[in-house]
Amino acid sequence: MKKYDVIIIGGGPAAIVTGITVRKFFKDKSALMIKEEADGLVPCGIPYIFHLLGNDAAKNKMGPKSFIDLGGEVIINTATKVDKTKKEVTVKKGEQLGYEKLVFATGSLPTIPTFIPGYNMQNVFYVKKSYPYIQELAFKIGNFKNVVVVGGGFIGAEVAEQLAAVNANVTLIESEPFCFSKAFSPELSLIATNALKNTKVNVMTSTLVKEIIGKNNTVKQILLANGNKIEADAVILSIGYKANTQLAKETGLELNRYGDIHVDNYGRTAIKDISAIGDCAQTFGFLTGRSDVIKLASTATAEARTLGHNIFGIRIKKCTAGTLGVFSTEINGLAMAAAGANEKNAEESSVEVVSAKFSSPDKHPGSLPGVSDLTVKLYASPVDGSILGGEAWGGKSIGEIINIISLAIQKSITVFELVSFQVGTHPLLTSSPVNNPIIRAAEDIVYKISYS
Ligand SMILES: Cc1cc2nc3c(=O)[nH]c(=O)nc-3n(C[C@H](O)[C@H](O)[C@H](O)COP(=O)(O)OP(=O)(O)OC[C@H]3O[C@@H](n4cnc5c(N)ncnc54)[C@H](O)[C@@H]3O)c2cc1C
């Protein structure tokens, strides 16, 4: 039986980054990745296969090449059993492989709404992170006239926006009053929903799907809770993701109340030498430390780096306990992003915040061609002024503006410090130094805390 220092089960971002980190920092340690599908996808790129990437899944391929380049080994197979006493993994073909350290990076699977009759009919699809499945969906989807996407989170909205460029009638159904409401404040959810409404997508909010109606087991219509019916040749159900933990359960790993693998701040389970990271593992709220559910590639890879460095014993203290969800998207040319607290999730968790926002053009002067308005909204503690959250919307620079805000949250930077934040500016690249929206929003909060 072949034995490895580290075996990683999975082939997504969490598995790849764990493998890279281990091989980079522990060159004398052998590492094997067991992944069930030969080709992988950049998960975040999946919506763009349907239009921007020309309906070609091959343009969105992702694989463990950098891990292999560093001397890692990969086998394409499914891990079916773990013997935690003998420290062995059995794969589908029956072979056994020994490990010193084992990592579960088995990810997540789309939630299947078995409570909606018709959920398993022909032409009902899911946004699976599977290359062959998405490739086949991409081939088929262009043939349908009426496509209904159920679920107005990031994934459903991004898929609907892309399909609207391909299919004649695309309807998005969301049960909440606004799309994106799990990640954004009510103000930004409204802006985002309107951005989607300005595309060809027919957006139906505050609307519940009751049944998927078909003929000869093929979808024909959607029955809504209000009794109305919508024509549908294809349905894409995008209502969330559940941790893929069957093997973890069978191994005897503890799961939390959301069904995620219970781990500590370093990704270690209660069973010695077994860790879990990424979508299959538990997350804790950054501010509250409470168990919550954040399933993002960005957080999965951060967890993977932490685990990779510390897998043979804690060497680098994790400086931030807790997961900060940083969400960004672009709909109809409008970039939008959020990190940490907003007025809605703060109220839900009984967190006090004071907020302010500031808008300015993202170039200066604002008369330059290609200018976009850039709005930053900051949320801070009303007592010590530390940044607890932020949102930003406007042009492409939002993608990195939110990362500055994320760093400010992670390092507990206060609005008082941001007032003297030193930034670089250039007419073609940034807002004016007079009106940097992060600094101006911080100043407004300073005023609210100290002078009003
Ligand atoms: C359409 C879409 C868009 C997204 N956009 C973003 C975004 O913009 N930004 C962002 O941060 N996040 C985004 N996400 C979320 C992100 O994709 C996930 O958080 C990320 O994929 C998690 O990585 P992971 O490695 O933990 O799990 P996964 O990507 O789910 O990978 C798990 C892997 O394990 C393999 N596996 C499972 N069980 C076994 C087994 N027994 N044996 C062998 N292999 C096994 C699976 O085949 C799979 O390859 C998006 C997700 C989707 C679906």
Side-chain angles (χ1 to χ4, degrees):
M1 184 183 64
K2 205 158 176 196
K3 195 174 170 196
Y4 293 85
D5 293 311
V6 179
I7 290 184
I8 304 158
I9 306 174
I16 294 171
V17 172
T18 305
I20 291 172
T21 313
V22 167
R23 283 297 307 159
K24 187 167 178 170
F25 290 92
F26 303 95
K27 294 194 186 345
D28 58 332
K29 301 287 187 186
S30 58
L32 172 75
M33 182 185 297
I34 304 172
K35 71 191 289 273
E36 58 191 353
E37 288 185 351
D39 290 321
L41 287 169
V42 178
C44 319
I46 293 171
Y48 304 103
I49 292 173
F50 302 119
H51 170 53
L52 282 179
L53 292 173
N55 213 32
D56 184 0
K59 290 190 179 150
N60 189 47
K61 259 192 193 175
M62 180 184 80
K65 185 179 175 304
S66 352
F67 170 59
I68 295 167
D69 289 348
L70 287 165
E73 288 180 45
V74 176
I75 58 167
I76 309 304
N77 210 321
T78 305
T80 53
K81 194 174 164 219
V82 173
D83 185 326
K84 55 184 188 282
T85 314
K86 290 188 187 156
K87 297 179 87 171
E88 286 170 15
V89 180
T90 305
V91 292
K92 216 174 189 170
K93 289 173 190 157
E95 192 187 351
Q96 262 120 36
L97 300 151
Y99 66 83
E100 177 54 34
K101 305 282 177 188
L102 180 66
V103 179
F104 276 76
T106 49
S108 61
L109 299 166
T111 305
I112 312 286
T114 49
F115 53 88
I116 300 179
Y119 73 93
N120 53 356
M121 262 180 209
Q122 219 166 325
N123 297 343
V124 175
F125 302 102
Y126 296 87
V127 190
K128 289 189 189 175
K129 292 174 274 184
S130 157
Y131 186 94
Y133 182 89
I134 292 291
Q135 191 179 35
E136 197 185 334
L137 174 58
F139 285 146
K140 283 184 182 167
I141 200 79
N143 301 324
F144 300 113
K145 186 175 167 213
N146 302 305
V147 179
V148 177
V149 178
V150 180
F154 283 91
I155 294 168
E158 288 172 1
V159 167
E161 188 223 31
Q162 290 295 298
L163 291 180
V166 177
N167 299 92
N169 301 318
V170 177
T171 301
L172 182 131
I173 301 177
E174 165 58 45
S175 57
E176 296 287 322
F178 304 110
C179 299
F180 305 93
S181 57
K182 287 213 173 74
F184 290 164
S185 66
E187 179 181 11
L188 187 50
S189 299
L190 173 63
I191 291 168
T193 306
N194 286 338
L196 193 59
K197 283 182 176 170
N198 287 334
T199 68
K200 277 170 52 201
V201 179
N202 171 29
V203 182
M204 301 176 75
T205 49
S206 304
T207 304
L208 265 178
V209 171
K210 193 167 177 201
E211 188 178 340
I212 298 169
I213 300 171
K215 203 172 163 192
N216 301 328
N217 199 36
T218 303
V219 56
K220 291 284 168 224
Q221 285 178 320
I222 298 278
L223 173 64
L224 304 176
N226 63 13
N228 290 342
K229 287 180 183 167
I230 303 171
E231 296 303 308
D233 308 314
V235 176
I236 297 181
L237 292 170
S238 175
I239 60 159
Y241 289 79
K242 283 277 302 168
N244 179 12
T245 51
Q246 188 56 35
L247 182 62
K249 231 188 289 179
E250 288 164 10
T251 305
L253 299 185
E254 190 190 335
L255 305 185
N256 74 1
R257 66 191 163 116
Y258 301 112
D260 299 332
I261 302 170
H262 183 73
V263 290
D264 66 15
N265 283 344
Y266 296 86
R268 301 179 301 183
T269 73
I271 295 177
K272 195 165 176 330
D273 298 326
I274 301 185
S275 302
I277 39 144
D279 279 9
C280 66
Q282 170 175 31
T283 52
F284 300 96
F286 183 79
L287 185 60
T288 61
R290 275 194 212 163
S291 173
D292 67 3
V293 183
I294 295 176
K295 299 202 183 302
L296 287 171
S298 51
T299 51
T301 51
E303 290 162 19
R305 278 180 210 105
T306 301
L307 173 65
H309 282 289
N310 296 300
I311 194 159
F312 299 108
I314 295 174
R315 306 166 72 231
I316 300 179
K317 186 175 175 291
K318 195 180 180 195
C319 36
T320 54
T323 302
L324 182 64
V326 185
F327 303 91
S328 40
T329 189
E330 189 187 271
I331 297 289
N332 202 20
L334 179 68
M336 296 163 280
N342 63 49
E343 56 267 64
K344 182 164 161 262
N345 63 26
E347 197 191 325
E348 284 162 3
S349 305
S350 295
V351 175
E352 288 183 34
V353 289
V354 53
S355 69
K357 72 177 174 192
F358 192 85
S359 302
S360 70
D362 61 0
K363 298 179 184 186
H364 58 286
S367 50
L368 277 164
V371 110
S372 300
D373 247 356
L374 172 57
T375 301
V376 168
K377 190 169 179 182
L378 293 180
Y379 301 84
S381 156
V383 178
D384 67 11
S386 56
I387 302 293
L388 301 177
E391 293 185 307
W393 58 95
K396 302 249 184 248
S397 58
I398 294 301
E400 294 303 342
I401 295 246
I402 201 66
N403 290 337
I404 297 173
I405 295 172
S406 168
L407 187 64
I409 301 168
Q410 291 178 56
K411 300 308 290 176
S412 300
I413 290 174
T414 68
V415 284
F416 304 101
E417 290 167 307
L418 281 179
V419 164
S420 50
F421 179 29
Q422 300 184 41
V423 292
T425 60
H426 184 275
L428 301 181
L429 300 176
T430 68
S431 303
S432 141
V434 176
N435 281 327
N436 178 293
I438 295 179
I439 297 171
R440 295 296 302 266
E443 266 183 346
D444 284 352
I445 296 181
V446 168
Y447 182 80
K448 285 184 184 177
I449 294 176
S450 307
Y451 300 95
S452 62

